[in-house]
Amino acid sequence: MAKKLASTFLNMVIVLLAVASVAALSLGAVYNITKAPIEAAQKKKQEDAIRQVLPEFDRIEAAKAISARGTDSLSLFYAFQGDQLVGVAVNTYTNKGFSGLVRLMVGFLPDGTINNTAVLEHKETPGLGDKMQQNKSDWSLQFKGKNPGTNNIRVKKDGGEVDAITAATISSRAFVDAVLHAHETLTKNQGGQH
C-alpha cells in the first residue's frame, strides 16, 4: 500500500511543481504537434483566396509593402501568366468592424479595377455582418468591376455607390475600409516591385 505524503509545505511545493511541469510539457507537445498543420491550413486558405480573387495565372511573386496608413505592412501577390502581369492580390485589413478585425484578400487587375474579394477573417455578427462572405450572400459581388480610383467606393449612407448590408452598416463600412486600404497601399507602392 502506498504511503501517504505528509502535508508539509515542502511536499506541497514539490507536488505543485510536478503538476505544473506535466501541464507545461503537455501544452508544449500539443503546440508542436498542431503548429505545422495550422500553418499549412492558413497557407492553403491564403492560396485559395488568391486564386479566387485573381484571373488565371501560372506564377506568383509575393512582396511586402508598407501600408499607406501606417508603419505596418501588407502582403501583395503579383500574378503572372507567362511574363504578363494579370493582377495583384492584396492581403488587407481594417480594425473598424463591429467586432474588430476584418481581414480580406482583394484582387486588382493591372488597371486597378477590382476583380474579386475574399474574406479571410472576421468576427462579425452571424446572420448580419457575416453576409460579407460570398458563401453567405452575394453582397460583396457588387465590388467586382469597380475601380477605387474612379468609383466612389463608400456606402450609400456616406454618399458612395455601395449598398450596405441590411442592418450591418458598420460591417459594410469596415469591408469598404479594408478594400480602400488595399487600393491605397497598392497605389502607393506601384513602381516599387513592378
Side-chain angles (χ1 to χ4, degrees), residues 124-131 165-166:
E124 301 301 285
T125 307
L128 296 173
D130 71 344
K131 290 182 179 175
I165 300 169
T166 303

Side-chain angles (χ1 to χ4, degrees), residues 120-140:
L120 298 175
E121 179 182 355
H122 74 86
K123 294 183 175 87
E124 301 301 285
T125 307
L128 296 173
D130 71 344
K131 290 182 179 175
M132 66 176 63
Q133 296 175 238
Q134 289 182 10
N135 64 347
K136 304 279 179 164
S137 82
D138 60 359
W139 175 80
S140 66

Side-chain angles (χ1 to χ4, degrees), residues 64-187:
K64 290 278 187 186
I66 299 295
S67 167
R69 297 182 177 176
T71 57
D72 60 340
S73 63
L74 298 183
S75 296
L76 279 58
F77 303 92
Y78 294 87
F80 297 88
Q81 185 73 30
D83 291 334
Q84 180 76 33
L85 178 69
V86 296
V88 181
V90 181
N91 187 331
T92 183
Y93 72 93
T94 182
N95 289 315
K96 296 181 178 177
F98 186 75
S99 299
L101 179 69
V102 173
R103 185 171 291 281
L104 306 177
M105 187 72 74
V106 183
F108 294 97
L109 298 176
D111 67 354
T113 302
I114 297 170
N115 188 59
N116 203 353
T117 61
V119 177
L120 298 175
E121 179 182 355
H122 74 86
K123 294 183 175 87
E124 301 301 285
T125 307
L128 296 173
D130 71 344
K131 290 182 179 175
M132 66 176 63
Q133 296 175 238
Q134 289 182 10
N135 64 347
K136 304 279 179 164
S137 82
D138 60 359
W139 175 80
S140 66
L141 297 179
Q142 66 182 309
F143 290 85
K144 282 185 169 183
K146 288 192 163 79
N147 186 325
T150 56
N151 292 96
N152 188 355
I153 307 291
R154 305 226 179 273
V155 296
K156 288 184 176 176
K157 283 184 177 179
D158 299 333
E161 306 174 15
V162 176
D163 290 316
I165 300 169
T166 303
T169 304
I170 294 173
S171 299
S172 304
R173 285 178 176 140
F175 191 97
V176 165
D177 187 62
V179 169
L180 293 175
H181 186 193
H183 185 260
E184 292 163 7
T185 300
L186 180 61
T187 301

Side-chain angles (χ1 to χ4, degrees), residues 38-58:
I38 289 172
E39 288 175 353
Q42 289 172 338
K43 183 177 178 185
K44 182 176 182 337
K45 185 176 183 179
Q46 180 169 283
E47 290 171 355
D48 290 347
I50 292 169
R51 293 205 178 278
Q52 180 183 336
V53 302
L54 290 176
E56 191 170 324
F57 60 87
D58 57 21

Side-chain angles (χ1 to χ4, degrees), residues 15-31:
V15 170
L16 184 60
L17 283 175
V19 169
S21 298
V22 169
L25 288 173
S26 299
L27 287 173
V30 169
Y31 173 76

